[in-house]
Amino acid sequence: MEITVPMLIVLGYLLIMNVIGFVLMFVDKKRAQNNQWRIKEATLFLSAAIGGSIGSMLGMKVFRHKTKHWSFLIGMPAIFIIQVALAVGYFIYLR
């Protein structure tokens, strides 16, 4: 399988989105510790849903953030599983 320009664009997009998801978890954790305005949970889920699920889950683990919230413990991996299933389905469809 040769690497094409569209593949590089998608990989670059996913890299950026995962960095954003990771950073959002860090920022929200710091704001929580300092009793400051927080990032909306919908924003955290949106960043995961549009491609940053791995970064968001990694941020949850590294910063021990949102680890007691069932919606995040179930929701983030569910988003990732759906994304993987869609990607696998897409590649199967292409063959």
Side-chain angles (χ1 to χ4, degrees), residues 24-25 27-28 31 37-41 43-44 66:
L24 285 174
M25 286 294 178
V27 170
D28 195 50
R31 288 180 177 176
W37 170 84
R38 304 280 301 279
I39 296 171
K40 293 179 182 179
E41 289 185 355
T43 302
L44 298 174
K66 301 287 188 186

Side-chain angles (χ1 to χ4, degrees), residues 35-73:
N35 294 318
Q36 295 176 330
W37 170 84
R38 304 280 301 279
I39 296 171
K40 293 179 182 179
E41 289 185 355
T43 302
L44 298 174
F45 276 111
L46 179 63
S47 71
I50 60 174
S53 58
I54 294 172
S56 295
M57 289 189 300
L58 187 60
M60 285 175 60
K61 184 84 169 167
V62 169
F63 306 121
R64 295 185 192 146
H65 189 52
K66 301 287 188 186
T67 57
K68 294 182 181 179
H69 296 264
W70 284 103
S71 60
F72 280 84
L73 287 174

Side-chain angles (χ1 to χ4, degrees), residues 1 12 18 22 25 34-35 39 52 70 78 87 90 94:
M1 177 181 213
N18 280 289
F22 186 80
M25 286 294 178
N34 296 324
N35 294 318
I39 296 171
W70 284 103
Y90 178 75
L94 284 180

